[in-house]
Amino acid sequence: MDFLTQTTHLHITTWVIALVLFLVAAFMDRNSKGRKITHMVLRLFYILVIITGLALFIEWSSSDAMQYGLKFLFGLLTIGMMEMVLVRSKKQKPTTLFWGLFVVFLFVTMFFGFKLPIGINFLANM
């Protein structure tokens, strides 16, 4: 496999694991030690997602800089909302708005990810 394929697979793997860890942490008891550990591991995966996403952005942004830039921005916003949900729920503050923004930003990020040339072609006609 070439570097681009490896980076793409690594990026997909890291964001899938990050989403699973986020959902696990979000639905755990907010005061459990397991949630704290899961949240810290999730923060490591945030960094991995950003690094692999940045590598793909640098590699591909010359072909369509605006769309790749928007995907990168919405990816960062998705990660931000994930963190806001976990931190605000830990502090027992309302999280409904952040859950909604998380879903919207995740959808937009995945839409761009699938639509762009290195994504899956099932959204190519849009």
Side-chain angles (χ1 to χ4, degrees), residues 64-94:
D64 193 354
M66 187 179 86
Q67 286 192 9
Y68 281 101
L70 285 172
K71 182 190 179 290
F72 192 77
L73 173 66
F74 279 105
L76 289 175
L77 289 170
T78 302
I79 290 171
M81 292 308 106
M82 291 164 71
E83 187 66 12
M84 290 297 291
V85 165
L86 293 177
V87 170
R88 287 183 65 90
S89 68
K90 172 72 174 155
K91 295 179 179 181
Q92 298 182 348
K93 293 185 177 181

Side-chain angles (χ1 to χ4, degrees), residues 4-125:
L4 183 61
T5 305
Q6 290 177 343
T7 306
T8 304
H9 287 210
L10 182 59
H11 183 63
I12 292 168
T13 302
T14 56
W15 66 254
V16 167
I17 292 171
L19 280 175
V20 169
L21 287 171
F22 167 69
L23 293 173
V24 166
F27 293 108
M28 284 179 117
D29 178 40
R30 78 174 65 97
N31 294 318
S32 72
K33 189 170 186 160
R35 180 177 170 147
K36 291 177 186 176
I37 294 169
T38 305
H39 194 177
M40 292 307 293
V41 172
L42 177 59
R43 287 177 174 159
L44 171 65
F45 273 89
Y46 292 157
I47 293 168
L48 295 174
V49 169
I50 291 169
I51 290 171
T52 58
L54 184 61
L56 290 171
F57 175 75
I58 291 168
E59 182 71 30
W60 282 90
S61 64
S62 62
S63 64
D64 193 354
M66 187 179 86
Q67 286 192 9
Y68 281 101
L70 285 172
K71 182 190 179 290
F72 192 77
L73 173 66
F74 279 105
L76 289 175
L77 289 170
T78 302
I79 290 171
M81 292 308 106
M82 291 164 71
E83 187 66 12
M84 290 297 291
V85 165
L86 293 177
V87 170
R88 287 183 65 90
S89 68
K90 172 72 174 155
K91 295 179 179 181
Q92 298 182 348
K93 293 185 177 181
T95 59
T96 308
L97 172 67
F98 297 103
W99 272 106
L101 289 172
F102 162 72
V103 170
V104 169
F105 292 152
L106 179 64
F107 175 77
V108 172
T109 304
M110 292 182 74
F111 175 79
F112 274 115
F114 291 135
K115 184 178 183 294
L116 291 168
I118 56 174
I120 298 171
N121 289 333
F122 65 85
L123 294 176
N125 296 329

